[in-house]
C-alpha cells in the first residue's frame, strides 16, 4: 500500500496550487471591491452608516474564518440551497478579506493629513470627490505594502477551504498523503509550494516599503 | 448688502467659548486685517465663515446664504468664499496645473482646455507662469503659497479668507506673497486676512479688527486703531508685536 511519492503526485500538487491561486484571486478581487465600499462607509460623514461598517468589520474580525466558511457551506444547505465548495469558499473568503482590507485601507486614508480634506472641502469638492481626487491617490502610496502583506496571509489561509472539500494545495496534500502514507514528504512539498508563492510577494512588498521610505 | 455678515456668532469647542457673540459686516471691496493674540479666535472666525467649523449660536451670512442653515448647500457657498491656509495645503500628488484646475473641472464641470487657460491666468496673477508643470515639492514655501492663492482664485470667489499665510515663510519670502495680496487688493478683491504683518495691515487694510478672548474688542480704520488704541488690551498687544 505504501508507495513512493512520484513525479505524478508532484504534478498534481502543483496543479492544485492553481486553485489556491484562483481562490486567492477571487477573494482578493471580491474582498477588495467590498472592502473599499466598507472603508468608505466607515469614514463617511454619517454616523449610522459608520456603525454599519463597524458592525460588519467587528463581526468578521471577531469570528474564526473556519466558522465563516462553515456558515456559508452548511448554512446555505440548511435553507435548501446547495452551494458548491467553490461558491461557499469564494463568498466566505471575499467577506473575510473585505473586513481586513477595509481596516487596512482606513488606516492608510487616516494617514493622509486632515488639512488635505479641509483644503479640498474649501474648494467645494464633495466627499466622494475628495476621496477620489485628493485622498485615495495619496493613501494608495502607503497602502501597497500592508495590502500585499495581507495578500500573503490570505494565500496561506485559503488552506482552510480544504475543510469543505475544496481541492486546493492543502486538500491535494491530504489526498496524496492518503495514497502514499508519507505525510512528512508530502506536506514538506506543500509547504515549499506555499513558500514559492508567498516569498516573492513578501519580497516585493518589502521592496515597495523601502522605496516609499526613500521617497519621503 | 454686505458680502459677509456675522450676527452674534458663538462658537464653542466643548466648554471653551472661542467666539463670543461676534458681529461683523464685510462690505464688497473691503480689506479687513484681523489681529490679536494667539488663541483669541482669529482662525476659528475665518473657518466658521466658510462652514469648516459649525457654530453654536448666531448667524453667518454670505450674501443671501445662511452658512449655518443645514439646508444651505455648503459646496455652492464655498465657491464664493476662497480660503488660503498658513500651511499652503497644496495637493502633493498633483502638478501645479492640476492643483488649480481640479476644482474648476470637478466642481464646476469646466472643460479641460478652458480650465488650463484659467490656470495660466491665475498663475500669471501670482507671478508663477513658468511653474505650471512643477510639483509642489519642487517649489519654495513662498511659491507654494502663491500657487495656493492661485488655486483659490481660479474658483473666482467673491471674498477671500487668508489665515496667516506668511507665518510659515522665511522672512525673505514674505515680501513676494504680500505683493500678490497687494495686487489683489488693488483689483478690488474683498479680503479678510489674519495677519501679524502690522505694516501690511496699516498700508493695505481698509479696516483693522482686533480680537480678544473671542470678541471683537476694537475695530476701525487702520491708522486710527493702530495709531490710537482705545483699550489697554489693544495697547499691550500692539506693544508686544511692535517691539
Ligand atoms: N479643533 C479644536 N478643538 C478644540 N479647541 C480648538 C480647536 N481649534 C481651536 N481650538 C481652540 O480655540 C481657541 C482659538 O483658536 P484659534 O485657532 O481660532 O486661535 P487664533 O487666534 O487663530 O490663534 P493663533 O494666532 O495661534 O493662530 C484656542 O484656545 C484653541 O486652542
Ligand atoms: Mg490661527
Amino acid at each position: 500500500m505504501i508507495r513512493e511519492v512520484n513525479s505524478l503526485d508532484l504534478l498534481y500538487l502543483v496543479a492544485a496550487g492553481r486553485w489556491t491561486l484562483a481562490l486567492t484571486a477571487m477573494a482578493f478581487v471580491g474582498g477588495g471591491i467590498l472592502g473599499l465600499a466598507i472603508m468608505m462607509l466607515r469614514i463617511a460623514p454619517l454616523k449610522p452608516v459608520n456603525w454599519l461598517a463597524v458592525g460588519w468589520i467587528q463581526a468578521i474580525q471577531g469570528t474564526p474564518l473556519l466558522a465563516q466558511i462553515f456558515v456559508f457551506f452548511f448554512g446555505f444547505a440548511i435553507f435548501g440551497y446547495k452551494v458548491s465548495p467553490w461558491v461557499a469558499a469564494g463568498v466566505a473568503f471575499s467577506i473575510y478579506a473585505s473586513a481586513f482590507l477595509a481596516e487596512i485601507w482606513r488606516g492608510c486614508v487616516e494617514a493622509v493629513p486632515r488639512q488635505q480634506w479641509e483644503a479640498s472641502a474649501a474648494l467645494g469638492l464633495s466627499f466622494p470627490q475628495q476621496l477620489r481626487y485628493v485622498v485615495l491617490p495619496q493613501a494608495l502610496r502607503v497602502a501597497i505594502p500592508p495590502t500585499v502583506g495581507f495578500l500573503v496571509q490570505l494565500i496561506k489561509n485559503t488552506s482552510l477551504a480544504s475543510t469543505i472539500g475544496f481541492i486546493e494545495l492543502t486538500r491535494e496534500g491530504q489526498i496524496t498523503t492518503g495514497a502514499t502514507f508519507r505525510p512528512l514528504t508530502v506536506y514538506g512539498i506543500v509547504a515549499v509550494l506555499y513558500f514559492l508563492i508567498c516569498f516573492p510577494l513578501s519580497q516585493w512588498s518589502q521592496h515597495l516599503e523601502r522605496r516609499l521610505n526613500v521617497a519621503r | 448688502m454686505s458680502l459677509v455678515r456675522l450676527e452674534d456668532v458663538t462658537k464653542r469647542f466643548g466648554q471653551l467659548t472661542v467666539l463670543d457673540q461676534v458681529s461683523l459686516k464685510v462690505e464688497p471691496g473691503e480689506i479687513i486685517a484681523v489681529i490679536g493674540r494667539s488663541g483669541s479666535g482669529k482662525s476659528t472666525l475665518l473657518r466658521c465663515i466658510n462652514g469648516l467649523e459649525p457654530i453654536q449660536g448666531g448667524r453667518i451670512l454670505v450674501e443671501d446664504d445662511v452658512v449655518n442653515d443645514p439646508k444651505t448647500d455648503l459646496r455652492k457657498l464655498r465657491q464664493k468664499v476662497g480660503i488660503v491656509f498658513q500651511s499652503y495645503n497644496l495637493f502633493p500628488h498633483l502638478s501645479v496645473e492640476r492643483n488649480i484646475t481640479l476644482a474648476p473641472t470637478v466642481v464646476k464641470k469646466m472643460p479641460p482646455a478652458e480650465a488650463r487657460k484659467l490656470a495660466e491666468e491665475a498663475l500669471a496673477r501670482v507671478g508663477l507662469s513658468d511653474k505650471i508643470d512643477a510639483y509642489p515639492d519642487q517649489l519654495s514655501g513662498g511659491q507654494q503659497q502663491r500657487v495656493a492663492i492661485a488655486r483659490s482664485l481660479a474658483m473666482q470667489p467673491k471674498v477671500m479668507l487668508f489665515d496667516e499665510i506668511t507665518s510659515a515663510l522665511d522672512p525673505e519670502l514674505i515680501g513676494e506673497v504680500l505683493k500678490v495680496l497687494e495686487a489683489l487688493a488693488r483689483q478690488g478683491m474683498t479680503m479678510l486676512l489674519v495677519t501679524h504683518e502690522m505694516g501690511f495691515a496699516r498700508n493695505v487694510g481698509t479696516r483693522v479688527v482686533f480680537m480678544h478672548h473671542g470678541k471683537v474688542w476694537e475695530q476701525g480704520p487702520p491708522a486710527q486703531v493702530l495709531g490710537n488704541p482705545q483699550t489697554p488690551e489693544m495697547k499691550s498687544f500692539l506693544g508686544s508685536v511692535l517691539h
Side-chain angles (χ1 to χ4, degrees):
Chain A
M1 196 53 198
I2 295 180
R3 62 170 175 83
E4 288 305 310
V5 176
N6 58 33
S7 54
L8 199 61
D9 292 322
L10 187 63
L11 194 68
Y12 273 117
L13 284 170
V14 171
R18 287 180 313 175
W19 303 119
T20 290
L21 288 178
L23 180 58
T24 304
M26 210 156 84
F28 191 66
V29 172
I33 294 168
L34 200 57
L36 194 65
I38 290 167
M39 182 275 284
M40 288 181 195
L41 297 182
R42 177 73 184 79
I43 62 169
L46 201 63
K47 281 268 150 33
V49 163
N50 300 160
W51 295 330
L52 208 72
V54 170
W56 176 275
I57 292 165
Q58 292 299 329
I60 290 155
Q61 292 197 341
T63 51
L65 175 54
L66 193 58
Q68 291 162 21
I69 296 170
F70 285 169
V71 163
F72 282 100
F73 190 61
F74 300 113
F76 278 124
I78 290 170
F79 292 106
Y81 296 102
K82 185 92 186 78
V83 294
S84 71
W86 258 107
V87 173
V91 171
F93 275 93
S94 293
I95 288 176
Y96 163 79
S98 76
F100 283 88
L101 288 174
E103 275 301 86
I104 291 171
W105 291 341
R106 179 175 70 100
C108 299
V109 162
E110 283 174 355
V112 176
R114 192 175 48 85
Q115 286 85 349
Q116 293 286 311
W117 287 96
E118 287 194 342
S120 48
L123 288 166
L125 272 70
S126 64
F127 175 73
Q129 290 169 341
Q130 288 176 289
L131 267 181
R132 167 154 177 222
Y133 296 104
V134 177
V135 177
L136 287 186
Q138 295 183 60
L140 187 69
R141 283 167 48 92
V142 277
I144 294 170
T147 304
V148 176
F150 175 74
L151 184 59
V152 171
Q153 296 297 321
L154 189 62
I155 292 168
K156 291 185 287 185
N157 279 340
T158 55
S159 62
L160 287 175
S162 63
T163 54
I164 56 169
F166 184 101
I167 300 185
E168 40 64 74
L169 192 43
T170 301
R171 181 82 190 116
E172 189 62 41
Q174 289 169 351
I175 294 168
T176 311
T177 307
T180 60
F181 292 100
R182 293 196 184 275
L184 203 62
T185 318
V186 173
Y187 285 116
I189 293 169
V190 167
V192 166
L193 288 176
Y194 274 113
F195 182 79
L196 288 180
I197 300 171
C198 294
F199 183 68
L201 277 172
S202 299
Q203 287 298 104
W204 183 54
S205 163
Q206 275 173 27
H207 166 76
L208 287 172
E209 204 152 7
R210 266 197 306 274
R211 226 180 50 187
L212 278 170
N213 287 339
V214 170
R216 280 275 161 76
Chain B
M1 189 180 60
S2 304
L3 196 44
V4 178
R5 204 157 85 222
L6 285 83
E7 297 171 350
D8 294 325
V9 171
T10 298
K11 165 77 199 174
R12 288 187 211 96
F13 287 111
Q15 294 294 309
L16 181 71
T17 301
V18 178
L19 295 180
D20 190 1
Q21 306 219 313
V22 170
S23 294
L24 189 70
K25 279 186 190 173
V26 183
E27 304 302 329
E30 275 201 286
I31 295 148
I32 300 183
V34 181
I35 60 173
R37 288 190 194 282
S38 178
S40 58
K42 307 179 299 292
S43 299
T44 307
L45 178 78
L46 296 196
R47 294 164 56 82
C48 288
I49 292 175
N50 73 347
L52 282 178
E53 296 284 357
I55 60 174
Q56 280 71 44
R59 222 156 66 112
I60 301 176
L61 286 97
V62 175
E63 293 188 317
D64 292 331
D65 296 317
V66 183
V67 179
N68 52 308
D69 183 343
K71 289 195 286 291
T72 301
D73 184 355
L74 275 182
R75 295 173 48 213
K76 275 249 161 59
L77 181 125
R78 284 169 179 158
Q79 296 177 33
K80 294 197 285 193
V81 186
I83 187 165
V84 182
F85 304 92
Q86 179 176 345
S87 49
Y88 339 130
N89 304 351
L90 293 179
F91 307 130
H93 60 299
L94 300 178
S95 68
V96 165
E97 175 186 358
R98 192 65 185 135
N99 261 276
I100 298 172
T101 59
L102 180 67
T105 52
V106 167
V107 179
K108 290 188 174 169
K109 313 284 178 221
M110 186 182 279
E114 202 180 317
R116 161 108 192 170
K117 275 233 327 268
L118 187 71
E120 284 166 358
E121 282 164 23
L123 282 174
R125 286 174 83 178
V126 300
L128 285 175
S129 295
D130 53 329
K131 298 294 186 192
I132 190 160
D133 294 319
Y135 277 79
D137 62 5
Q138 297 167 329
L139 303 177
S140 72
Q143 291 170 333
Q144 289 191 51
Q145 194 57 291
R146 283 146 70 195
V147 171
I149 296 172
R151 178 174 72 176
S152 199
L153 282 176
M155 288 302 274
Q156 293 162 321
K158 301 224 164 110
V159 53
M160 296 265 287
L161 313 174
F162 297 97
D163 190 2
E164 296 196 38
I165 63 168
T166 56
S167 296
L169 299 178
D170 293 336
E172 69 269 23
L173 300 177
I174 291 176
E176 63 186 59
V177 174
L178 291 183
K179 270 225 293 279
V180 169
L181 289 184
E182 279 172 34
L184 279 181
R186 273 198 304 276
Q187 292 154 15
M189 175 62 79
T190 309
M191 306 197 267
L192 208 67
L193 40 98
V194 175
T195 183
H196 290 307
E197 301 291 327
M198 290 303 144
F200 182 84
R202 184 189 291 269
N203 297 330
V204 183
T206 56
R207 195 180 356 154
V208 168
V209 168
F210 171 61
M211 304 264 314
H212 187 69
H213 286 337
K215 291 192 171 74
V216 173
W217 206 258
E218 247 187 74
Q219 60 172 317
Q224 180 196 314
V225 173
L226 298 175
N228 184 20
Q230 299 298 305
T231 57
E233 291 79 8
M234 177 81 187
K235 278 194 187 110
S236 94
F237 171 74
L238 284 181
S240 66
V241 289
L242 297 179
H243 305 117

